[in-house]
Amino acid sequence: MTAKTNRIAFQGEFGANSDMASRDMFPAMEPLPCQTFEDAFLAVENGEADIAMIPIENTIAGRVADIHHLLPESRLHIIGEYFMPIRFQLMVLPGVRHEEVRTVHSHIHALGQCRKIVRANGWKPVIAGDTAGAAKLVAETGDRSMAALAPRLAADLYGLEIIAENVEDLESNVTRFVVLSRKETVIERRSDDDRIVTTFVFNVRNIPAALYKALGGFATNGINMTKLESYQIGGKFIATQFYADIEGHPDDANVRRALEELKFFSEKVRILGAYPAHPMRGTL
């Protein structure tokens, strides 16, 4: 049995949004920065960290595509979710004036969430590995024409100066994170008021109207499906996998009936996790 490390893995440098989400939800754990999402997954699988905090979708930029490919292939389980309002600060080297900026560096999703300020100023957007990594790059490069879009914590960590606050395009900019673990958590419903989310992936059988038939059980059993996404697997356009979130616990009678119907019309069904719904779920 792997010993506990009390570490939580995330993708990016210290000060990234994933780092902030980790500190918010698990303040007693030690954040472990990883260069890529795959590295964060492997850190948990290999026992270097107990859990991982992984962004899965954003209200402006949409889904984080890498995650939907990594999750089904991993041995990890979703044990929780966290919703975090995202605020981006425009930061530069100390003393740099607004008119000196020529390029803005950040993660591709951050740049997509701050298009208005970049376009309004005619700056060149430059993609970085993550938001805090962009701030670190600006600090280390020492180029006065460079700016970064990153969380406020990154400015403190890397000695940068914020020259524009909360520059995201919309105030309702929220990222949903999932918490991943090697060990599957068996969550029990204590009362009918408990809000549980179940996430699963499935591949339908190659028969006419297979998807319609596979999902019919959720409608007839009164189950709210809050997410359904499809993506190609195996490099072929004929092989499709579906990712879904529903409200309910796998042991609920209506969910159990719906999953049985899903399995009948599917080649493969895998439950990735059943976990408590975050308080912000359904309020956005």
Side-chain angles (χ1 to χ4, degrees):
M1 184 175 178
T2 306
K4 287 205 168 194
T5 65
N6 199 42
R7 288 197 290 263
I8 177 169
F10 68 92
Q11 186 273 328
E13 299 281 355
F14 286 117
N17 283 313
S18 296
D19 180 20
M20 294 175 62
S22 299
R23 295 170 191 258
D24 288 349
M25 192 171 183
F26 300 97
M29 297 191 75
E30 176 189 353
L32 176 66
C34 300
Q35 186 172 359
T36 66
F37 288 124
E38 188 171 14
D39 290 337
F41 275 66
L42 288 173
V44 179
E45 291 181 356
N46 297 337
E48 297 174 47
D50 298 329
I51 56 178
M53 179 70 73
I54 302 294
I56 197 165
E57 57 190 323
N58 176 267
T59 52
I60 296 177
R63 75 181 185 183
V64 181
D66 288 356
I67 307 309
H68 292 75
H69 291 282
L70 290 171
L71 259 176
E73 301 301 322
S74 78
R75 295 171 292 168
L76 305 183
H77 307 274
I78 302 176
I79 62 168
E81 66 176 359
Y82 186 71
F83 286 69
M84 188 174 80
I86 303 298
R87 301 291 178 258
F88 288 111
Q89 320 303 323
L90 182 70
M91 54 191 70
V92 295
L93 294 169
V96 169
R97 300 185 306 277
H98 191 279
E99 56 268 25
E100 294 181 75
V101 176
R102 296 289 180 269
T103 60
V104 179
H105 302 248
S106 199
H107 187 272
I108 186 171
H109 280 282
L111 293 169
Q113 294 163 37
C114 303
R115 288 190 179 96
K116 291 181 181 178
I117 188 172
V118 175
R119 287 177 179 173
N121 289 278
W123 295 328
K124 179 183 177 181
V126 181
I127 297 173
D130 68 284
T131 54
K136 184 179 181 181
L137 177 66
V138 171
E140 292 178 346
T141 303
D143 187 339
R144 294 177 65 87
S145 70
M146 294 171 59
L149 289 167
R152 188 176 300 274
L153 177 60
D156 297 334
L157 290 175
Y158 302 113
L160 299 181
E161 186 176 304
I162 294 172
I163 58 172
E165 298 183 323
N166 302 338
V167 297
E168 60 279 354
D169 292 346
L170 298 173
E171 288 186 9
S172 57
N173 185 21
V174 177
T175 293
R176 177 189 174 217
F177 296 83
V178 290
V179 182
L180 304 180
S181 171
R182 288 186 305 279
K183 185 178 179 181
E184 184 176 10
T185 300
V186 180
I187 183 173
E188 296 182 359
R189 184 185 288 282
R190 293 167 297 181
S191 73
D192 292 339
D193 295 330
D194 285 348
R195 299 180 64 214
I196 308 296
V197 177
T198 298
T199 297
F200 55 91
V201 291
F202 63 98
N203 298 28
V204 294
R205 293 166 57 193
N206 189 21
I207 59 175
L211 181 60
Y212 174 81
K213 295 173 181 177
L215 298 181
F218 295 96
T220 56
N221 284 283
I223 297 168
N224 186 23
M225 181 169 285
T226 59
K227 176 177 286 295
L228 177 65
E229 294 185 345
S230 65
Y231 51 99
Q232 309 308 126
I233 57 175
K236 299 179 181 179
F237 286 104
I238 59 172
T240 303
Q241 188 164 74
F242 294 89
Y243 171 101
D245 291 337
I246 60 170
E247 294 181 353
H249 192 289
D251 290 340
D252 295 344
N254 60 338
V255 175
R256 188 168 61 249
R257 290 192 297 268
L259 288 174
E260 287 174 356
E261 194 164 335
L262 174 68
K263 290 174 183 177
F264 182 80
F265 292 105
S266 299
E267 294 179 346
K268 172 184 170 185
V269 177
R270 180 191 167 197
I271 294 179
L272 299 177
Y275 46 93
H278 188 269
M280 286 182 68
R281 174 175 282 275
T283 64
L284 301 174

